[in-house]
Amino acid sequence: MATSQPPTKDLTALATQILELSKSYDPAAKQTNLEREIVTKARELIAAVQTPRDYMTTVLRSIMESSAFRALLSLGAIQAIPPTDPITLADLESKTGAQASLLKRLFRPVVQGGIITLHPDGTYSHTPMSAVYARDEGDVASLYNYMFDEAMVQTGFAEYFQQRGAREPDGELATTHNPRTWHARQEGKTVFEILEQDPEHLRAFQKLMVMATRFRPYTGFYDFGKLVGEEGRTVIVDVGGADGTTVAKILEAHPDIKPEQCVVQDREQVIELAKKNEGLQKGVRLQAHDFFLPQPVKGAKAYHLRAICHDWSDTMVVKILKHLADAAAKDSKVLIADVVMPEGPLGGMAAFMDLGMLCIGGKERTKQNFEEVLGAAGWELDAIYPSGYESGFSIVEASLK
């Protein structure tokens, strides 16, 4: 059967671009942007010569390879390989308790992917890629296991949308009835309640949230100082402000804002953590509050929501924003610190982040999406202030209509 051919591209030009980029590449240096650019160009080159059938095969191989690697990690086989010396299957069987013939089959796609080395004498050894997982630097193995398991939720999308209807999770049930809770066979519980059942996954999730702050800067791209006005008025209410770190960072960068002009709100148990935050300036008001209830601080200059809206469906975000609109003064602002998705082709991890939020009933939003939820709640988008990070993290500023 004839296979359709990919569109003709200038392969020489792509190869030349990769060659030029590689001249500046230093494996020992931290060159994240350059590495991504080289990988992107390499993918363009592969796509230029792949047929649709080749592409399908590549995707399926990737799934099988990552599944086998996940199994080997859980069995302790990757960790059992010595740091520098090769090891036999018999020794791996002895160390892990896993059947040698099973390990051999699981290693095949991983070896083919270049993650583990298979020697002519049948022994196995690490590559630089796998050695990191064996040492578990920065809990990388547990992070991989968590991210793989969460990604596997998406393999059930087809069945989920056939059973539950082909539409986004929305409304008050979106947090308890979504692909993630369906996959766990625990609809009716929140994702966080399910996470708490697995301490290892919960630790990995918490570590990922800490790592995410590197791509979600607190300050440096929005002028919080412009919010300062009349004496005695609340300048910033950080809604869902966790332990107060966001307000602390804002106060560090903008000493013209007084701690007494700031409020940190969150659930009661989270506010107890904020009380122990030694980095939070004295004078900041701490207030237990559920943001689905009417906002108790009236007429603040700004109501700030950092990485809150993407956790919730459109219906629930509108509910949050309506409470803020009811409490706002005519010149109040709402500031939404979140990823703003581009409308066109995506780079980086944006598309995958959004699918991750879809799994839990949330959503990464485009400018149009923000305009829609803001408009439905009585707000009007003023401007978007991008952080400059590839993640698309920005501050969306809005005023009352």
Side-chain angles (χ1 to χ4, degrees):
M1 185 173 103
T3 305
S4 59
Q5 294 300 313
T8 303
K9 287 191 178 181
D10 191 346
L11 301 183
T12 303
L14 284 168
T16 301
Q17 290 171 29
I18 295 170
L19 179 62
E20 289 302 313
L21 289 168
S22 66
K23 291 178 181 177
S24 304
Y25 178 64
D26 178 4
K30 190 174 182 180
Q31 299 173 299
T32 305
N33 290 336
L34 179 60
E35 289 169 1
R36 286 176 180 163
E37 196 171 355
I38 292 173
V39 170
T40 297
K41 290 297 177 185
R43 285 176 176 159
E44 288 180 19
L45 182 61
I46 292 170
V49 296
Q50 269 192 326
T51 64
R53 181 180 292 174
D54 290 337
Y55 172 76
M56 177 182 67
T57 302
T58 300
V59 171
L60 292 174
R61 281 178 56 179
S62 177
I63 294 171
M64 294 175 188
E65 179 185 313
S66 55
S67 299
F69 189 68
R70 169 70 172 95
L72 289 166
L73 278 173
S74 68
L75 293 170
I78 300 297
Q79 300 89 324
I81 298 174
T84 54
D85 299 324
I87 188 171
T88 65
L89 278 173
D91 286 340
L92 279 171
E93 182 179 56
S94 175
K95 285 188 173 187
T96 65
Q99 187 182 28
S101 59
L102 170 65
L103 291 173
K104 185 175 184 178
R105 296 171 73 179
L106 290 174
F107 269 120
R108 283 172 179 156
V110 176
V111 168
Q112 192 172 0
I115 300 174
I116 291 288
T117 298
L118 172 61
H119 299 281
D121 63 358
T123 58
Y124 296 84
S125 65
H126 282 300
T127 66
M129 185 73 71
S130 63
V132 176
Y133 291 88
R135 295 192 300 268
D136 204 12
E137 295 175 354
D139 296 325
V140 67
S142 59
L143 287 174
Y144 176 88
N145 290 343
Y146 169 77
M147 294 176 72
F148 175 87
D149 292 349
E150 292 303 308
M152 285 299 99
V153 173
Q154 297 173 29
T155 63
F157 274 175
E159 186 179 358
Y160 173 81
F161 291 120
Q162 284 174 354
Q163 288 187 10
R164 296 293 185 264
R167 56 193 71 249
E168 298 175 347
D170 198 12
E172 295 188 3
L173 292 179
T175 56
T176 57
H177 292 72
N178 52 55
R180 179 67 175 84
T181 60
W182 173 84
H183 179 82
R185 306 292 190 267
Q186 296 191 56
E187 287 183 302
K189 292 188 177 182
T190 68
V191 171
F192 298 104
E193 287 172 335
I194 295 171
L195 269 177
E196 287 171 353
Q197 299 169 12
D198 188 331
E200 183 180 346
H201 268 36
L202 181 59
R203 283 193 298 272
F205 169 77
Q206 291 167 337
K207 188 171 184 64
L208 276 175
M209 293 304 98
V210 172
M211 291 169 62
T213 60
R214 291 184 293 175
F215 311 103
R216 298 175 181 171
Y218 293 96
T219 59
F221 60 104
Y222 180 83
D223 181 15
F224 290 96
K226 72 179 183 179
L227 302 173
V228 179
E230 60 265 36
E231 192 73 25
R233 184 182 185 184
T234 300
V235 174
I236 297 173
V237 179
D238 194 17
V239 183
D243 69 349
T245 296
T246 298
V247 163
K249 296 290 186 184
I250 292 171
L251 289 173
E252 284 176 15
H254 298 276
D256 46 336
I257 304 175
K258 298 176 182 178
E260 294 75 16
Q261 294 176 300
C262 299
V263 180
V264 174
Q265 295 178 335
D266 214 305
R267 292 168 297 150
E268 192 168 347
Q269 59 267 42
V270 180
I271 289 298
E272 289 303 313
L273 295 176
K275 291 177 182 177
K276 300 173 185 177
N277 184 355
E278 296 180 359
L280 185 59
Q281 294 83 346
K282 211 173 208 182
V284 174
R285 288 174 282 161
L286 303 177
Q287 186 177 62
H289 174 60
D290 178 345
F291 47 56
F292 289 118
L293 298 176
Q295 172 57 238
V297 180
K298 311 296 182 183
K301 183 61 180 178
Y303 297 92
H304 182 265
L305 297 147
R306 177 182 166 86
I308 298 293
C309 292
H310 76 160
D311 286 338
W312 301 95
S313 68
D314 288 345
T315 297
M316 302 309 286
V317 170
V318 169
K319 187 173 183 178
I320 295 169
L321 294 173
K322 274 184 175 177
H323 285 311
L324 300 183
D326 290 342
K330 288 183 179 180
D331 64 342
S332 294
K333 301 286 186 184
V334 66
L335 305 175
I336 301 174
D338 239 324
V339 169
V340 178
M341 299 269 286
E343 293 286 358
L346 303 178
M349 294 293 291
F352 305 104
M353 288 164 56
D354 182 47
L355 287 183
M357 300 316 297
L358 173 61
C359 286
I360 66 170
K363 187 176 189 175
E364 301 290 5
R365 292 177 171 84
T366 63
K367 177 185 176 183
Q368 181 180 339
N369 294 149
F370 278 113
E371 288 174 334
E372 290 167 353
V373 292
L374 285 164
W379 297 93
E380 186 172 23
L381 192 149
D382 294 334
I384 295 176
Y385 298 84
S387 67
Y389 281 67
E390 188 184 34
S391 64
F393 194 74
S394 307
I395 284 184
V396 177
E397 181 187 73
S399 302
L400 286 174
K401 286 183 178 179

